[in-house]
Amino acid sequence: QVQLVESGGGLVQAGDSLRLSCAASKGTFSNYAMGWFRQAPEKEREFVAAIIWSSGTTYYADSVKGRFTISKDNAKNTVYLQMNSLKPEDTAVYYCAFDKYGSGYSSAGPQRKDFLSWGQGTQVTVSS
């Protein structure tokens, strides 16, 4: 079981930036993916972004394209989510997730069902 530890959430104003971090204690996986999901109150958990570790291929939800950037640090086994131009509708608990296969995604891209390991979540609140 991969352990994921997130950090970096907080309260910001609309237009501000925030960076989330997620450190993973991974096992001997040769190809895997890490991603970010978010869940607003009374809403389903939704995909935000993901990155394939070996190739660096990235995926984004349409709602965050051009504003959010997912990146990784191989040496630290850490994935980051740089969030710029934040909007009140970005307010949610953000979860880091791990997919030990990092492949086989549908044409719609990575889905919640593809990720079996999850972090505890970090709150991001954007005030207007």
Side-chain angles (χ1 to χ4, degrees):
Q1 184 76 5
V2 174
Q3 304 297 318
L4 303 172
V5 180
E6 302 134 331
S7 61
L11 171 63
V12 297
Q13 294 186 333
D16 285 350
S17 298
L18 207 57
R19 190 177 80 157
L20 306 182
S21 301
C22 175
S25 61
K26 75 172 187 70
T28 55
F29 303 108
S30 60
N31 188 47
Y32 58 96
M34 291 185 70
W36 291 95
F37 289 72
R38 66 187 182 185
Q39 188 166 15
E42 301 182 359
K43 290 190 176 181
E44 295 290 319
R45 191 171 300 188
E46 64 175 4
F47 171 75
V48 175
I51 186 166
I52 307 298
W53 212 260
S54 58
S55 66
T57 301
T58 57
Y59 301 84
Y60 293 96
D62 288 342
S63 59
V64 306
K65 280 180 181 176
R67 299 189 299 123
F68 291 10
T69 302
I70 189 170
S71 62
K72 61 184 177 72
D73 184 324
N74 291 343
K76 297 181 179 179
N77 287 335
T78 298
V79 66
Y80 303 98
L81 185 67
Q82 178 66 43
M83 304 184 292
N84 298 330
S85 301
L86 282 162
K87 304 175 181 179
E89 50 263 44
D90 294 318
T91 295
V93 176
Y94 283 70
Y95 296 91
C96 178
F98 182 91
D99 170 21
K100 67 178 181 180
Y101 298 111
S103 62
Y105 299 137
S106 71
S107 58
Q111 304 293 311
R112 180 178 177 178
K113 63 178 179 61
D114 297 312
F115 295 81
L116 300 183
S117 297
W118 295 85
Q120 79 284 1
T122 185
Q123 177 70 46
V124 172
T125 303
V126 184
S127 64
S128 58

